[in-house]
Amino acid sequence: MSLITSQKIHINKASSSRINDVDFNNLTFGSVFTDHMFECDFIDGNWQNPTIKPYGPISISPAAKVFHYGQAVFEGMKAYKDDHGKVFLFRPKENLKRINKSSVRMAIPEFPKDVFFEAMHKILELDKDWIKSGLGNSLYIRPFVMATQVGVSASPSNAYKFMILLSPAQAYYTGEVRVVIAQQYSRAADGGVGFAKAAGNYGAQFYPTNLAREKGFQQVIWTDSNEHKYLEEAGTMNVFFRINNTLITAPTNDRILDGITRKSVIAIAEKNNITTEVRKITVSELVNAAKDGSLKEIFGAGTAAVISPVSAFSYEETLYELPKQEPSFASEFKKELMEIQHNLTEDPFNWRYKVL
C-alpha cells in the first residue's frame, strides 16, 4: 500500500539533469548520485524546513559534534522499477523504524514518519528516471542523520541534519567470497551499539577487514566479544548457515543488527517449509560440520548484495572449502526476494510498497 501525507516540503528543482552523463552499464556501487537530495534540520527542539534541493556539497562547521563525538546513524534501502514503469520500495516502514531505533540509542531525536514518507515520494518522483528497470537494477537510498551543533563539549548535540541521498545501482555480484572467522577483533560488545546502524560501527570494522584481505579473504565473520565462541555477522551483513537441510542464523541482540533482508529470508524459508533455527551457533559446531560434510552453505544477507554466498572460511589458519550446491538455498532465496522486489511475482507478505 502507499502512504501519502500532506506534509509541506519545499522543492528546489535542479536546473538541468546530469543523467545523460552517467554510464548505467558501468556503475560503481554508491559513487554516482542523482539530481536531488533531501535535508531537514532539527533546531530548537523541532524538525524544520524539510527541503528537496539539487545534489551538491553542504556547508558544516569543523566544530560540528558529529566529527568529535560520532553522533551519526544511517539506513540502506532501495527503490525498484518494474517493466511497466511502476516504482516500489521494499519494506520501508522497517527502515524508518530501525533508523529511529538507532537514533534513540545515539541520543538523536527520532524523525517523523509523515515527513519521511512524503520526502520519499517526492524525491523519487523527481528522480524516477534514474531508476532503471530490469532484474537486479535499483536505486540505492541512503537516509542518514548527523549532529550539527557547533562545539566540542562532550555532550549530545542540540542540532541535527537528516538527509536522503539516491544512488543508481546495478545488479550486485561479489564473485567467490572467502571469509575468516574473527578470533581477536570484535564488531560489537554487550551493552554497546552493535544493533544500531551507527556510523562508527562500520569505521571500526575496516582495520580487521583489511588484515583479512591481506591474507586473501574478502570479509570477516564476526564472533562474540566475550569468548569469540559464537558466530554473529559476516562483514556488514547478517549471516546464515545451512547444515544438512536446516537453516541457522544467530538471534538478534544488542550486538547484532536486526536486518530487514535477514527477516525476509527467514520468512521465505518458513513459507517454503525449510527447517529454520534462530539460535546461537558456535565456531566449533561450524568447524565440525565442515569436517563431516554436513555444512552445505554459508551466505550473508543485506540490502546491497541481497544474498552473498561464501565459498570458503578460515579458522585457526585452516581453510575449509564449501561444496557447490545446485540448487542452493542462497540462489533460491535471492531469486524469490528479487522477484518480489521487482514486481515479477506475487507478494504474499505485503512487502512491496508502491510509490509511483
Side-chain angles (χ1 to χ4, degrees):
M1 78 180 192
S2 294
L3 176 63
I4 305 293
T5 74
S6 59
Q7 177 68 32
K8 292 181 179 179
I9 295 177
H10 177 71
I11 298 176
N12 178 15
K13 292 181 66 174
S15 58
S16 61
S17 177
R18 294 174 287 103
I19 195 169
N20 292 330
D21 299 329
V22 176
D23 181 358
F24 282 86
N25 294 316
N26 292 286
L27 293 170
T28 300
F29 182 81
S31 63
V32 175
F33 296 92
T34 66
D35 294 320
H36 298 91
M37 62 186 188
F38 170 80
E39 68 176 24
C40 186
D41 292 303
F42 187 84
I43 304 170
D44 297 330
N46 292 293
W47 288 104
Q48 302 179 25
N49 307 318
T51 303
I52 293 173
K53 61 197 294 186
Y55 172 83
I58 61 172
S59 177
I60 187 168
S61 168
K65 289 198 173 186
V66 64
F67 301 129
H68 304 275
Y69 302 108
Q71 275 185 289
V73 300
F74 70 94
E75 265 302 317
M77 51 198 297
K78 287 179 177 178
Y80 308 86
K81 182 181 286 183
D82 70 9
D83 294 336
H84 303 288
K86 296 177 182 177
V87 174
F88 300 89
L89 294 171
F90 181 73
R91 307 188 72 176
K93 292 179 183 179
E94 294 292 328
N95 293 104
L96 175 63
K97 177 181 176 181
R98 191 169 63 182
I99 197 170
N100 279 337
K101 182 179 179 181
S102 299
S103 293
V104 168
R105 180 60 181 85
M106 298 300 290
I108 297 170
E110 296 177 77
F111 197 73
K113 178 180 179 181
D114 60 341
V115 187
F116 179 83
F117 279 96
E118 182 71 3
M120 283 291 174
H121 277 267
K122 288 186 174 179
I123 197 169
L124 289 174
E125 184 174 7
L126 283 170
D127 286 346
K128 61 181 180 294
D129 291 342
W130 291 77
I131 314 170
K132 300 303 180 182
S133 60
L135 193 64
N137 295 323
S138 63
L139 187 69
Y140 183 77
I141 303 171
R142 170 54 61 91
F144 65 101
V145 196
M146 58 183 172
T148 54
Q149 181 187 352
V150 175
V152 294
S153 60
S155 59
S157 178
N158 62 19
Y160 299 88
K161 186 179 290 291
F162 185 104
M163 300 191 70
I164 300 172
L165 307 180
L166 308 177
S167 178
Q170 287 180 292
Y172 195 102
Y173 176 69
T174 59
E176 295 289 321
V177 176
R178 296 155 67 90
V179 301
V180 61
I181 294 177
Q183 294 178 259
Q184 177 183 358
Y185 296 100
S186 299
R187 177 188 173 275
D190 291 338
V193 298
F195 69 89
K197 285 188 76 70
N201 288 349
Y202 297 81
Q205 292 183 33
F206 296 152
Y207 176 68
T209 301
N210 284 345
L211 296 179
R213 287 176 176 167
E214 289 173 4
K215 295 183 178 181
F217 299 92
Q218 287 74 46
Q219 289 291 353
V220 176
I221 290 186
W222 304 103
T223 51
D224 68 288
S225 60
N226 295 324
E227 302 174 89
H228 295 289
K229 176 180 178 181
Y230 297 102
L231 299 157
E232 297 199 329
E233 292 195 7
T236 59
M237 310 177 82
N238 295 113
V239 63
F240 288 83
F241 308 93
R242 175 186 174 186
I243 296 179
N244 290 318
N245 286 319
T246 297
L247 188 68
I248 304 168
T249 193
T252 56
N253 53 37
D254 59 8
R255 299 186 307 274
I256 297 177
L257 189 71
D258 187 12
I260 294 164
T261 308
R262 171 190 176 275
K263 289 189 283 195
S264 303
V265 166
I266 293 170
I268 289 173
E270 291 174 344
K271 178 181 75 71
N272 291 324
N273 297 314
I274 293 171
T275 301
T276 304
E277 298 178 359
V278 179
R279 63 170 175 83
K280 290 183 176 182
I281 177 170
T282 62
V283 178
S284 60
E285 181 180 355
L286 185 73
V287 169
N288 290 335
K291 288 178 177 178
D292 68 23
S294 59
L295 177 63
K296 307 301 182 184
E297 294 181 66
I298 302 173
F299 59 87
T303 299
V306 186
I307 302 291
S308 184
V310 170
S311 62
F313 74 90
S314 173
Y315 181 66
E316 293 185 337
E317 304 300 325
T318 300
L319 185 68
Y320 299 89
E321 301 277 356
L322 273 68
K324 296 287 185 182
Q325 301 292 326
E326 295 293 344
S328 65
F329 280 6
S331 62
E332 292 298 310
F333 293 147
K334 185 170 186 175
K335 178 177 182 291
E336 190 160 348
L337 263 174
M338 292 179 69
E339 287 181 348
I340 291 173
Q341 291 167 340
H342 288 267
N343 196 29
L344 295 173
T345 188
E346 293 298 317
D347 177 12
F349 306 99
N350 196 30
W351 288 337
R352 263 194 314 264
Y353 176 100
K354 186 178 178 183
V355 178
L356 300 170

